Amino acid sequence: DGTPVWSQVLSEQRGEVRHALEVELAPPAEGDAFHATRVLSLDSNWPQRLSWSNQCTFKQWFTAEENLRATRYCEQVVDRPAHSLNPVMVVAEPQSGCSHLLHATGQAMLRRQEGHVLYITAADVNGVDGLDASWHHALPGATALVIDDVHEFASHDSWRHQLGVLVDQALNHGLQVVAGGRLTVGTFPPSRLKEVFRGSVEVRLSSPLPPTLMAFARWRCAQRNLLVSDRHLAQLSRMEPRGWRMTEARLEQLVIAFEDGAVLLDSDDVDVLLQGGTTVAPVEEMQRV
């Protein structure tokens, strides 16, 4: 109506509504579906955007024979997103580090600063209603879609269709799709999700063997400036259950024991320590060593 903007703002703050517009021309109310706050809330509803993190990145990832091919595929995806390898399906064995690899891939693509990265985990199966999920506003501006434990969605009645529609739309929008799970696409129940991933590039991710875990433990010791004998590292890598996380946790137990003054003379001392016992050599023996 020609009123200066500053005057209209002051009038609204004071509760003085002058020259109010008619209903047809008035701006949408805060509770209206077209209001800016409602639109922004829809944008951040689901899937969640991956936030910047220094944990579980390629800096902490240890490349070995068991994960070399999967690592190269993910690196190719980061270098050339949404090109020839799209979508990528990582078929992982238990304790193979699949979640770490997927998160590291998402973080690497996020650092390209070409758009946000959408991240979906198995927690969304029970935490979000697949029929009511508002994901249409999350795709614009995104550069990648990362899905962890996709086999959990494939076995769910509603999610195996809804997630398939989401992945299909993401591919049509030019997003890079990277998924990981325990099962191959051929074993999925008939669904939209299976149809979408039928043309994916599958790559295997195997569980680490004891020699790989020993090399990993030696690598972590070098990063932390720790002096641990190969005899102790070999004992760590052979203990059950085996895996990247368990090896890291057992190595941390050794560090704490060394800081407390423990002296581990043989593999039996390592077993006692990691099983909850205490292994501290007598003073005379420590001096002799």
Side-chain angles (χ1 to χ4, degrees), residues 184-264:
T184 60
V185 178
T187 60
F188 286 1
S191 62
R192 181 61 175 164
L193 185 63
K194 182 177 181 179
E195 294 178 3
V196 173
F197 276 102
R198 192 184 300 273
S200 63
V201 179
E202 291 190 5
V203 59
R204 295 278 181 173
L205 186 63
S206 304
S207 301
L209 298 176
T212 300
L213 293 177
M214 180 177 176
F216 168 70
R218 187 184 296 115
W219 176 66
R220 292 293 291 138
C221 290
Q223 287 183 326
R224 304 178 59 178
N225 295 324
L226 300 175
L227 295 177
V228 181
S229 66
D230 289 344
R231 180 177 57 182
H232 294 153
L233 296 180
Q235 182 66 13
L236 291 179
S237 62
R238 290 194 300 264
M239 297 183 66
E240 295 288 346
R242 295 198 303 262
W244 304 105
R245 292 182 180 177
M246 294 305 302
T247 302
E248 185 81 25
R250 290 165 184 154
L251 185 62
E252 189 66 26
Q253 288 181 272
L254 285 184
V255 172
I256 296 176
F258 291 151
E259 292 177 351
D260 292 340
V263 177
L264 307 179

Side-chain angles (χ1 to χ4, degrees), residues 267-287:
S267 59
D268 293 335
D269 293 339
V270 176
D271 290 335
V272 172
L273 173 65
L274 297 180
Q275 292 175 3
T278 303
T279 303
V280 180
V283 177
E284 297 82 6
E285 190 174 2
M286 293 176 61
Q287 293 176 349

Side-chain angles (χ1 to χ4, degrees), residues 33-59:
F34 295 100
H35 195 271
T37 56
R38 294 292 303 276
V39 174
L40 291 176
S41 64
L42 289 175
D43 289 345
S44 59
N45 183 17
W46 185 87
Q48 293 185 356
R49 296 186 179 187
L50 186 65
S51 57
W52 287 70
S53 176
N54 292 325
Q55 301 296 326
C56 292
T57 64
F58 279 114
K59 187 176 182 180

Side-chain angles (χ1 to χ4, degrees), residues 135-151:
W135 49 266
H136 301 82
H137 302 277
L139 295 182
T143 184
L145 173 64
V146 181
I147 308 174
D148 194 6
D149 292 328
V150 68
H151 62 278

Side-chain angles (χ1 to χ4, degrees), residues 83-211:
H83 194 257
S84 55
L85 300 179
N86 194 26
V88 173
M89 178 66 184
V90 181
V91 183
E93 296 180 357
Q95 305 298 326
S96 59
C98 180
S99 297
H100 187 159
L101 180 60
L102 293 178
H103 190 272
T105 303
Q107 287 293 328
M109 299 195 68
L110 190 63
R111 281 160 171 76
R112 291 176 61 97
Q113 298 184 0
E114 296 178 353
H116 58 272
V117 176
L118 303 177
Y119 195 73
I120 302 176
T121 64
D124 296 333
V125 176
N126 299 320
V128 180
D129 189 355
L131 299 178
D132 296 335
S134 300
W135 49 266
H136 301 82
H137 302 277
L139 295 182
T143 184
L145 173 64
V146 181
I147 308 174
D148 194 6
D149 292 328
V150 68
H151 62 278
E152 296 288 345
F153 295 91
S155 60
H156 197 275
D157 293 335
S158 61
W159 269 118
R160 57 182 146 194
H161 174 73
Q162 296 297 327
L163 187 61
V165 175
L166 169 59
V167 174
D168 188 23
Q169 290 295 322
L171 294 174
N172 292 335
H173 279 74
L175 273 69
Q176 173 66 53
V177 178
V178 182
R182 300 286 179 82
L183 305 177
T184 60
V185 178
T187 60
F188 286 1
S191 62
R192 181 61 175 164
L193 185 63
K194 182 177 181 179
E195 294 178 3
V196 173
F197 276 102
R198 192 184 300 273
S200 63
V201 179
E202 291 190 5
V203 59
R204 295 278 181 173
L205 186 63
S206 304
S207 301
L209 298 176

